Every structure is written in C-alpha cells, then in structure tokens.
Amino acid sequence: MSVLSTYQDNLSQEMNTDRIVMGGILNNPSLTFNDRVRSVDFVLVWEAGKDDATTEEAYEHRRIFEQNLENEGLQLEKEAPEELYGLHFIKIHAPLAVLRDYSEVLKLRMPMKECSKIRKGARTNAILNAAMYMSKFSALKDVHEKTNSLIDKIDECWDNVMSKIRVDPALFPERKHRLTAIYSKDKEYLFDTSAECFWTPSIRSRIVQFILDRKKFSESANDDFAFGITRLISNNTYSAAYPLHDGDLKTPGSMRHLLYTEWASVSKCLKYQPLDYVKDYFGVKIGLYFAWLGFYTHMLIPASLVGLICVIYSAATVYSNKPSEDICNYNSTIKMCPQCDYYCDFWDLKTTCLQSRITYLFDNPTTVFFAIFMSFWAACFLELWKRYSAEMTHRWDLTGFDVYEEHPRPQYLARLAHVKRTQLNVVTGEREPMVPFWRMRLPAALMSFSVVALLILLALATVLGVVLYRMSLLGANFLRQQDNVLITYSPIMFTTATAASINLVFICIFNYIYQFLAEWLTEKELLRTQTEFDDSLTLKIYLLQFVNYYASIFYIAFFKGKFVGRPGDYVRFFGHRQEECSPGGCLLELSIQLAIIMIGKQFINTVVEMMMPYVLKWWNILRTIGRKKRIKSPLQWVKDFKLVDFGNMGLFPEYLEMVLQYGFVTIFVAAFPLAPLFALINNVLEMRLDAKKFLTCYRRPVPQRVSDIGVWYRILDSIGKLSIITNGFIIAFTSEFIPRLVYQFTNGSMDQYVNHTLTDFRISVLGNLTKSTYNETMCSYPGYWHYKDGDDYEHTNWYWHVMGARLAFVVVFENVVALVMIIVRWAIPDMSGELRDRIRREAYVINSFIMEETRARSQARRSPPGEDGDESNWNHLASLSGSDFDLAAHGDHQDIRDLSKHVVTQPPEGSPGPEHV
C-alpha cells in the first residue's frame, strides 16, 4: 500500500480561494491586453512632455530595451491615448514559457498536484489523519477535550466573543493547505499547472521585475552600467514601472476592494488581520510586517494593563505618601538656596507641592515591579515572536530560505563590471565578481564609518545646544517677572517642556538628513543582495536615530543634576551653572521629556505618513501634466500611474517608527509606565492607517521574498538587553526609591525624611546674590553635606551609605532580571515540537508523492516491463532519507534509475497553515 493512498483530502484540496486573487482581472478589462485574454503583468510609462525622454538617445535606449524584452519572450502592447497629454504606456505580459523558465531560475515554491490522484486504495491511517487535522490549528493553541457541560457553555460563550474579532470566513475563506516544492521544468508533471491561479499576479510581476532589472538598453560594449529599468527611470527615459492593482477601491469584485473595506477600515481595528490575503496581494515582506505589527500590538495589551494599574494605584495613594505631604506642609523659616546666580531669589519648598505629588505617580514602589515586569515582557515578546514567526514562514513556504539564494543586485554587478576576478557561489553554482578588499571594500567601509561618526557627533552637539539653552533660560530674568506662579517658582518644569519641544523639532529635521546620507553611504559599500543592502542601511539609520531620539533622555536620566557641586562651589559649564534636579529628583523631568518626545513623535509621524503620500500623489500629477490639466480615465494602468511609487525602502519608515517606539516602551519604561498604553493606542490605529495608505496611495509593490524581519530582530534583542541596564540605573540613581528605602529601613518610618535630605548652607558662601528680603543666615540645599571648616563642606557618611545601596541594587536587579530572561528563553523553544514534526511529516509525504509520480512515469516509458534491476533501484530509493530523495528527485535525470546516484538540489519543505491572526 502506498503511503500516499493513506493521506486524506484535508491535506490537499482545491485551490478555490485563489480565484479571489484573479477576480479583479475578470471584472476589469483594462487589466488585460486588447485581446481580453493576456493579462497585463507590468506597465512601463514615458512622458513625451519631458525633454530628457524625447531625445534621440532616449528613443534609442527604449527601442533597444524593449527589443531585448521581446527577445527574452515578454509580450508588449503600446498605448498612447490622446487625452493623456503625451503619456505613453507599454503593457507587458509574461507568457507561459517565460514563467516556466524564471520560476525555475528564482527557485519558486509552487503547489503540487493533489495526492488523491494517485490514491490506490480507500483505507486511511487514523493516526495520521488525526495529526493532520490538529495541524490546522495554531501551534500556540492547546486543544483540550471538553469534559462537561459547564466547559461546553464557557467555550460557546468564548467562541461567540471571539467571532466578533476573528476574520469573517465568508469573506476570507481559510486557506486550504497545499503541498509545495521548488519548481522544476523537468519535473513539471509534479505540479498543479492546470490550476486557475498557478502563476498568481504576484509571481508574474516578480518575474517581470527580475527581467526588467537585468536587460541592457545599449549596444555599446563599453557601457557596463547600461542595463536595468532603475537607471532608465533615473535618467527620465521612462517615468515609471509598476504592476497593476487588481481593481478599483470602490468597485466590488477585486481583492483590493475587499482588503480596503474589511482590513484597512479603521472601524475594523479590533478585528484580526487576514494575513494570508495580505501576503498574496502585497507579497511576503509586507505580509510579515503586518504579522509582526499585529503580534507586537497584541503583546502590548498586558503591558498596558499592568502599567495602567500601577499608575492608578499611585494616584489612589498619592495623598498618603509621607514625603510629598511633608513638602506640601513644609513650614520652616529657612528657605531654599537660589537656583541661579544673578536673578534668582530664595524660594519656599512648599511651592513644589504639586510637582512632588506628580513625581510620586512615577516614583513609587510599583516602579520597581513594573520595570522587572517589562524586562520579563520583553524577553517573552521576542521568544514568542520567534515561535510565531517559525509558523508563519513555514505557512508561507519560506522554511529553509537562504539569503544566498537571492540573486545579486543589478547595481552591485554594474559597479563590479570591470572586475576580472570571480568566485564561485557554492549555493547557486554561478561565478560572481569578487570585490577587491583594499581598493574598494575597505575605503567604502572607512568612509561610511567616518560619516556616521560625524553625524552622531552632530546629534550630540544638538543635545549640548539644548542643554545650554536650559542653563541660560534658568538664569534668565524674564522667568522671574511672570505672573504665572508655576513658571516663577518652578522654572525647571517650564524649561524642561520648552527644551523637549525644541529637541523634537531638531529630531524631525535630522531624520531626513540622516536617511539621505545613510542611503548614499550604503550604496557605496557594494552589498551583494537587496537583503544585505537593507540590513546595512537599517543599522546605520537606526544608530543615528537612536542617538537623535534618546541622547537628551539619557542626559536627563544619568547626567543631569549628578555633577552640579554645592552652594559656593558649583561646577560650571561654559560659565553657566549646571542644571539641578528638583528636591524630588529628575524623574519627573525625565517623564515629561519622554512623554513629549514619544507622543509628539507618534503624532507627527502619523500626520506626515498620512499626508505625505497625498502630497506626493498631487505633485506627481502636477509635475506630469501641469496645474490646469486633469487626467480622468477608467483604465487601471492610468489610475495606478497617478499613485506614488512604493520603492525598495517603502517599509523602512514603518519598521523604524515601531522599533523606536519599542525603545520608549522598554528602555525608559521605569520613568513612564503609561508608555505601553500610548503605544497600544497608536498601533491599533497605525495598523489600519498603514493598510489604507498602501492600498490607496501607493502603486502595487513587487512582492519580495524574505524569511523573517531581518536585522530588526537583532535590534529588538539589543534593546531588550539594554533596557535591563537602563531601568536598573534609573531606579537606583534617577529616582528617590533607594534613599527612601534606606531611610525607612534605618528609622522604621518616613517621618522627617524631607528634612533629612536637605542640608543648611551659610549664605556667606553664595556669591552674586540679587537683592532680597530674606534675612536668615542659612539656606537649604538638597543633598547629604556637612560643614567641615571655613567655607568648606563635604559629603556625609549617609551619602556613601546611599551610594553603596544604589550600586548594590543595580547589581541585584540586573542579575535577577537577566536570570529571569534566561529562564524564559529556555522555557520557550524557537519552534514547537508539533511544528517540527509537521515539517518532517510533510517532507516525507512530498518525497513519497515524488516517488510515486516518477515511478509511474518511468514504468509507462519502460519498454520491457518488470525488470528486477528497477525493483532493486526503487528499494534503494526507499532507503534514502526524505531530504536525500527530494534532492535526487529534483535533478536533471531522465531515468528514474539515476535518482539513487545523484543529489543536486535543495530539499523542499511543506507548509501547513495556522488560522488567521
């Protein structure tokens, strides 16, 4: 009995849902050539109104380029409607022969035939059937047997609730599992090429894009750079190149309309995303971004709830906090020392009552608990994402995908066209140019490092300028002449808010400078594949943005108020006294800085992301036809031309925004427990607004194949490790948690704690005093000092006790949290055992299927039926491992008896499907 005859229908069913992908083509005639048969897989556009596009050289380049496309097998159809003001469209169709050739070149995984077609019996394997039925469910979901009616009712209620947020199966039918393997023309009989949507529009556009990137447009042998659509667009020979959306936003019958109404709508923000359909329409790279964003948003829910509970507890107990109440009821005749040299007067500690109560909201015992919880949350988030990502990559046929299977970037090959020395790529088996290390690689790396270092220094210089602004403003006279009591007596709060706003403006300006320079530097580094290029560019921009966004926050958290000196012996910076923290510490200022930058950044980014595509769309039309003309056409290839080009870096701003937000949520969460809540609110809207933006404002991107979120995962992991250090130091050195803990442990209560933290200094040690009505000889200053001799003061023993306790806390906190993270990573494997078994089982089934098909064809061709040698060969094949057989079966052998002797390609692996997420 064949193993395939025991494999039931639930593993391989008709690809009925794929017909939705083709629905737009059937309902929109402009998606086909004029014969209404051949589909439009890609469109090229050039403008007769551009001088660069109408030169003799441009005409010649277009002629040669289009001739080379036709020589490659692509079919072209030209359109130039008179009402479109000189716009010329070249529609491209990829016929079957081209699709077959390049599917093999690109190593695409394609659906195989139904196993049932070679079923020889009706018996079924109950154990295998049960296992495959269970594999339809997510690996993270445990299925428990219902044992009583109470559990039945609970499950029914839960299903009713979840049905409100799950994807509607009537609109988005669940994807049926298909066995897939790497496509081979020699083994085409294994694949379901008769399926209506075997080569989907996404696959077609990807193949055409691959050809467009590599065809020459010049017959000159000396012009090594004369190839690729990218260069033709850059020199205005063409204006655009893009695949088509499959229909209009407002016309039902297309996947675009379905996604727009059921996925991109803000009213659907509480529903799960139809990730399979997003992947089919936009490709794996964009599908994986939305999968990660959805997973991150779901993980923010418990963090937001815990943070909100901590703040509510703090608000409920604020009036029972002894130190803040002591400040509000402070009645000493000795006032606080002036906060600046010339214009500041002595001030009463009671004026900071409101400030001390607000500080308590973020500086209380729950801060330590929340910091530990968020470190644990960060570890769980990354481990669970790896586990979930393994499911998605297997589901989308990306298991085993290697970056070295990617073909080199055209720009990379162009810059190395003069290099004679080559090396063998052991994965693809092709010879590729070797980059000269001393002449090209090293100079590019040194230049990149130097420019990035210079930009980092520029960001630090900006922070220094903001610090000097704060120092100058604190000593300015106009603050003391305000009628607003809060500004007059709490100038630190005013300067913190204004400085944070100024810093936010500089951050937004530098963002654009950094991105332009980072792209230019990365292009000089000669990176082979698009994935390597994206990873290098990501690291550069994130490093620059990290300094840009977080430098001022690090300054407040770890440097401000730590080296100010004392009255009579202040440490000065450019002639100015350094900034001091308020009597309750700098944690409130840190919280204000975090809130303004994080919330302000999210608001500005949302506005820019929503408005910029519409502005670019308007500018594209204005630049093309002028201000007084309008383009109105029902043709899809005209409508899509008016949209904005997506480009290779289309997802980069989205990832960057979320990863910077993740830094605010983890690195400084001890100072701002509400950060996860604001991030959650932002992301719920961001997910749908991004979807709407991609569907309405951008041309349809060419699908890209990736195996994970790339370098972003390593950045997230580094942020998680850094957050342990920063939160430990914020609690120990920025907040007043440790001094209060030491005082309460020593004295048994918090009575007289405020007086304990103040030191009385002689007014005679102060200089440059303004005229004052204050007649006392002493003033109070926060810190642990005692009078030594003359005008000299030194730190008390208590200061060193507190300092030792701070350092001890940092050591204990970081080791405890690190141990918890290690346990979490050990307890949560990267891939579930069920998924691992599923992959092995499907590989075995695929190999058995290949063996059955190939043996049947071999027996049909064999002239003398039933030779003993054939049976022995098949017995040997049956003894091969699953991966060895799969390698052999994809070889170039014409006879099945050769399969046991050769191994030539990589084993394919199957892909089951968890439910919608």
Side-chain angles (χ1 to χ4, degrees):
M1 173 70 68
S2 167
V3 67
L4 294 175
S5 65
T6 66
Y7 211 78
Q8 281 211 330
D9 289 348
N10 59 355
L11 181 64
S12 57
Q13 301 186 19
E14 196 64 38
M15 212 166 16
N16 50 3
T17 54
D18 286 333
R19 294 195 179 98
I20 301 178
V21 179
M22 301 294 291
I25 295 178
L26 301 177
N27 297 325
N28 192 339
S30 64
L31 298 177
T32 63
F33 278 20
N34 291 332
D35 57 13
R36 301 292 179 91
V37 175
R38 292 171 294 172
S39 62
V40 178
D41 300 322
F42 227 88
V43 175
L44 305 179
V45 185
W46 65 276
E47 303 173 35
K50 284 186 176 180
D51 295 336
D52 293 339
T54 54
T55 62
E56 183 178 349
E57 182 183 27
Y59 279 111
E60 182 66 12
H61 285 171
R62 281 195 295 271
R63 184 191 66 81
I64 296 173
F65 185 70
E66 292 166 13
Q67 182 63 48
N68 288 334
L69 295 181
E70 291 180 331
N71 293 340
E72 194 63 26
L74 297 179
Q75 299 174 1
L76 309 184
E77 185 176 80
K78 300 180 180 180
E79 299 274 359
E82 296 181 359
E83 68 275 11
L84 296 183
Y85 310 104
L87 291 177
H88 292 253
F89 296 85
I90 298 95
K91 297 182 286 186
I92 302 177
H93 171 74
L96 181 61
V98 175
L99 297 175
R100 294 173 68 243
D101 290 340
Y102 281 90
S103 294
E104 188 171 40
V105 170
L106 294 174
K107 294 181 171 55
L108 300 180
R109 298 188 69 90
M110 307 298 287
M112 303 175 71
K113 289 181 178 179
E114 290 187 7
C115 300
S116 59
K117 290 186 178 181
I118 61 170
R119 186 184 295 119
K120 297 181 180 179
R123 295 177 57 190
T124 59
N125 187 323
I127 297 177
L128 182 60
N129 177 45
M132 293 312 300
Y133 177 78
M134 297 297 294
S135 70
K136 294 193 301 180
F137 297 91
S138 171
L140 298 178
K141 180 180 178 182
D142 296 327
V143 179
H144 300 282
E145 184 180 359
K146 300 177 181 179
T147 58
N148 53 54
S149 59
L150 178 61
I151 295 180
D152 290 343
K153 292 180 180 179
I154 294 175
D155 287 343
E156 184 178 357
C157 293
W158 177 253
D159 289 338
N160 289 336
V161 173
M162 294 302 295
S163 64
K164 304 297 183 182
I165 63 175
R166 287 184 180 137
V167 174
D168 188 351
L171 296 172
F172 298 99
E174 184 182 353
R175 287 294 193 209
K176 302 304 180 183
H177 178 71
R178 298 286 293 180
L179 294 175
T180 62
I182 297 176
Y183 180 82
S184 171
K185 288 194 299 181
D186 294 335
K187 305 297 177 185
E188 193 172 82
Y189 55 85
L190 299 173
F191 298 92
D192 193 8
T193 55
S194 61
E196 180 180 359
C197 201
F198 183 75
W199 280 288
T200 64
S202 296
I203 294 176
R204 289 173 170 272
S205 62
R206 183 178 170 194
I207 289 174
V208 175
Q209 176 73 55
F210 185 84
I211 298 173
L212 293 175
D213 284 339
R214 286 158 177 81
K215 286 303 162 187
K216 293 182 67 67
F217 55 82
S218 173
E219 296 176 347
S220 174
N222 299 325
D223 193 350
D224 296 327
F225 296 88
F227 72 91
I229 188 63
T230 303
R231 187 178 176 192
L232 287 172
I233 292 177
S234 65
N235 60 26
N236 290 324
T237 302
Y238 289 102
S239 298
Y242 51 90
L244 296 179
H245 284 290
D246 70 343
D248 192 80
L249 289 171
K250 299 180 181 179
T251 305
S254 67
M255 180 60 65
R256 186 187 186 193
H257 174 266
L258 182 62
L259 290 174
Y260 179 74
T261 55
E262 299 296 330
W263 172 54
S265 174
V266 177
S267 62
K268 309 289 184 180
C269 64
L270 298 182
K271 279 185 169 288
Y272 287 172
Q273 301 180 91
L275 292 178
D276 286 337
Y277 291 81
V278 175
K279 186 268 297 184
D280 286 342
Y281 193 78
F282 288 111
V284 172
K285 189 173 185 179
I286 294 180
L288 204 57
Y289 163 73
F290 281 103
W292 176 82
L293 181 57
F295 183 83
Y296 170 48
T297 303
H298 278 80
M299 288 293 292
L300 282 173
I301 295 175
S304 302
L305 291 176
V306 174
L308 185 61
I309 291 172
C310 290
V311 173
I312 292 175
Y313 168 81
S314 303
T317 59
V318 65
Y319 290 102
S320 62
N321 179 47
K322 183 65 175 174
S324 61
E325 291 304 305
D326 286 347
I327 291 176
C328 293
N329 299 320
Y330 192 76
N331 289 317
S332 175
T333 57
I334 300 178
K335 292 188 176 182
M336 302 296 294
C337 296
Q339 294 177 326
C340 62
D341 289 336
Y342 298 101
Y343 304 107
C344 298
D345 198 359
F346 298 92
W347 55 285
D348 194 348
L349 183 62
K350 187 187 294 186
T351 58
T352 62
C353 174
L354 177 61
Q355 178 182 333
S356 66
R357 285 175 174 168
I358 297 175
T359 301
Y360 174 76
L361 297 178
F362 306 104
D363 188 3
N364 57 77
T366 62
T367 302
V368 180
F369 163 76
F370 190 61
I372 296 176
F373 171 82
M374 287 304 297
S375 299
F376 173 78
W377 175 89
C380 288
F381 167 69
L382 292 177
E383 292 306 308
L384 290 175
W385 164 249
K386 283 196 295 185
R387 189 180 176 98
Y388 178 72
S389 178
E391 287 194 11
M392 298 308 297
T393 54
H394 175 250
R395 176 183 177 83
W396 291 344
D397 293 324
L398 298 169
T399 304
F401 172 66
D402 190 347
V403 67
Y404 288 101
E405 292 181 8
E406 282 192 71
H407 292 265
R409 299 170 60 241
Q411 299 88 336
Y412 169 84
L413 296 176
R415 294 195 61 197
L416 297 178
H418 63 283
V419 176
K420 304 301 181 184
R421 189 177 179 184
T422 61
Q423 61 183 356
L424 180 67
N425 186 317
V426 296
V427 176
T428 63
E430 299 176 356
R431 301 202 67 84
E432 297 178 1
M434 179 181 292
V435 181
F437 178 79
W438 296 103
R439 186 161 52 89
M440 299 183 71
R441 180 83 73 186
L442 183 62
L446 291 177
M447 181 180 65
S448 180
F449 176 81
S450 302
V451 175
V452 170
L454 180 63
L455 294 175
I456 290 175
L457 292 177
L458 177 62
L460 294 176
T462 304
V463 174
L464 179 61
V466 174
V467 170
L468 290 175
Y469 159 80
R470 294 158 66 111
M471 292 179 181
S472 303
L473 194 62
L474 279 175
N477 186 32
F478 88 95
L479 286 182
R480 275 69 193 176
Q481 299 174 351
Q482 299 294 320
D483 295 332
N484 191 318
V485 177
L486 184 62
I487 296 178
T488 304
Y489 292 100
S490 300
I492 292 178
M493 295 299 100
F494 177 77
T495 55
T496 298
T498 55
S501 302
I502 294 172
N503 193 28
L504 180 61
V505 173
F506 277 105
I507 286 172
C508 296
I509 294 174
F510 285 157
N511 282 349
Y512 297 99
I513 300 175
Y514 290 160
Q515 182 154 346
F516 172 78
L517 291 176
E519 290 182 17
W520 181 77
L521 290 172
T522 308
E523 195 64 58
K524 298 294 183 183
E525 290 180 2
L526 295 172
L527 298 170
R528 176 182 174 273
T529 65
Q530 188 63 45
T531 299
E532 293 172 347
F533 180 90
D534 292 346
D535 288 352
S536 179
L537 178 62
T538 298
L539 284 174
K540 286 187 188 65
I541 295 186
Y542 182 75
L543 178 61
L544 295 171
Q545 299 287 35
F546 184 92
V547 177
N548 196 22
Y549 277 98
Y550 300 142
S552 61
I553 300 174
F554 271 97
Y555 163 74
I556 295 176
F558 303 118
F559 297 100
K560 182 180 178 181
K562 305 298 187 295
F563 312 102
V564 297
R566 59 170 179 80
D569 188 23
Y570 290 114
V571 178
R572 300 185 179 273
F573 189 69
F574 290 106
H576 295 280
R577 275 176 54 179
Q578 291 193 45
E579 294 181 277
E580 301 173 7
C581 294
S582 62
C586 284
L587 195 66
L588 178 57
E589 298 172 53
L590 179 60
S591 302
I592 293 174
Q593 185 86 4
L594 278 168
I596 290 177
I597 292 182
M598 178 183 176
I599 299 174
K601 176 191 76 72
Q602 290 183 166
F603 176 76
I604 293 175
N605 282 353
T606 301
V607 172
V608 171
E609 284 183 9
M610 292 300 104
M611 297 301 298
M612 187 59 68
Y614 290 101
V615 173
L616 293 176
K617 179 180 175 181
W618 170 80
W619 173 251
N620 184 37
I621 299 174
L622 184 66
R623 177 190 54 81
T624 302
I625 63 173
R627 185 167 46 183
K628 298 183 179 180
K629 300 177 183 178
R630 300 183 66 184
I631 295 179
K632 284 189 176 182
S633 175
L635 302 174
Q636 192 64 46
W637 31 273
V638 178
K639 293 179 180 179
D640 287 3
F641 172 73
K642 295 157 59 175
L643 302 178
V644 181
D645 182 42
F646 191 80
N648 289 327
M649 298 303 296
L651 279 179
F652 179 83
E654 317 302 332
Y655 270 119
L656 181 62
E657 179 185 359
M658 290 297 104
V659 173
L660 288 171
Q661 180 200 90
Y662 182 80
F664 287 111
V665 169
T666 54
I667 297 178
F668 306 104
V669 73
F672 192 43
L674 292 177
L677 178 62
F678 284 109
L680 175 64
I681 296 172
N682 175 80
N683 291 1
V684 169
L685 298 176
E686 176 85 13
M687 199 183 311
R688 307 302 168 167
L689 293 177
D690 281 349
K692 185 176 182 180
K693 177 176 63 176
F694 290 164
L695 287 168
T696 60
C697 298
Y698 285 102
R699 296 168 186 157
R700 188 173 182 176
V702 178
Q704 296 185 37
R705 182 171 55 168
V706 295
S707 59
D708 51 34
I709 60 175
V711 72
W712 293 112
Y713 179 84
R714 298 198 294 274
I715 293 176
L716 292 171
D717 186 48
S718 301
I719 292 174
K721 295 174 181 176
L722 178 62
S723 67
I724 301 176
I725 302 173
T726 55
N727 285 312
F729 275 92
I730 287 174
I731 295 172
F733 289 93
T734 307
S735 75
E736 290 294 302
F737 175 76
I738 297 301
R740 292 173 185 171
L741 188 65
V742 173
Y743 183 85
Q744 187 169 20
F745 179 78
T746 304
N747 297 279
S749 69
M750 296 299 293
D751 294 337
Q752 299 300 314
Y753 172 75
V754 173
N755 289 330
H756 176 73
T757 60
L758 299 177
T759 301
D760 292 339
F761 282 83
R762 297 177 182 272
I763 293 181
S764 59
V765 302
L766 303 176
N768 303 321
L769 289 176
T770 185
K771 293 181 180 180
S772 175
T773 58
Y774 183 64
N775 298 321
E776 299 291 336
T777 59
M778 306 290 287
C779 66
S780 297
Y781 187 78
Y784 302 107
W785 302 86
H786 73 84
Y787 177 71
K788 184 178 181 182
D789 185 26
D791 291 340
D792 193 14
Y793 290 78
E794 66 178 6
H795 285 296
T796 63
N797 291 334
W798 187 265
Y799 170 84
W800 299 109
H801 292 163
V802 172
M803 182 61 67
R806 293 179 191 269
L807 295 175
F809 174 84
V810 170
V811 173
V812 173
F813 177 86
E814 293 184 4
N815 281 277
V816 169
V817 174
L819 178 62
V820 170
M821 293 179 69
I822 291 173
I823 294 174
V824 168
R825 290 177 178 175
W826 171 80
I828 304 176
D830 294 349
M831 181 184 295
S832 66
E834 192 273 338
L835 179 60
R836 188 178 293 106
D837 292 340
R838 188 192 307 169
I839 293 174
R840 293 171 180 170
R841 181 169 58 252
E842 290 177 359
Y844 175 73
V845 171
I846 289 175
N847 294 335
S848 301
F849 173 66
I850 294 174
M851 184 170 64
E852 291 281 347
E853 281 289 300
T854 309
R855 183 175 186 177
R857 291 176 61 86
S858 178
Q859 289 176 344
R861 292 197 309 263
R862 195 165 49 204
S863 48
E867 294 184 359
D868 294 352
D870 293 331
E871 187 66 29
S872 64
N873 284 336
W874 281 108
N875 290 335
H876 175 69
L877 282 174
S879 67
L880 293 176
S881 67
S883 58
D884 289 341
F885 181 85
D886 196 23
L887 289 171
H890 280 79
D892 297 328
H893 313 293
Q894 301 301 319
D895 195 288
I896 192 62
R897 288 171 293 184
D898 296 332
L899 290 175
S900 61
K901 304 177 183 178
H902 302 279
V903 175
V904 295
T905 62
Q906 189 174 355
E909 294 170 337
S911 171
E915 293 178 329
H916 294 288
V917 178

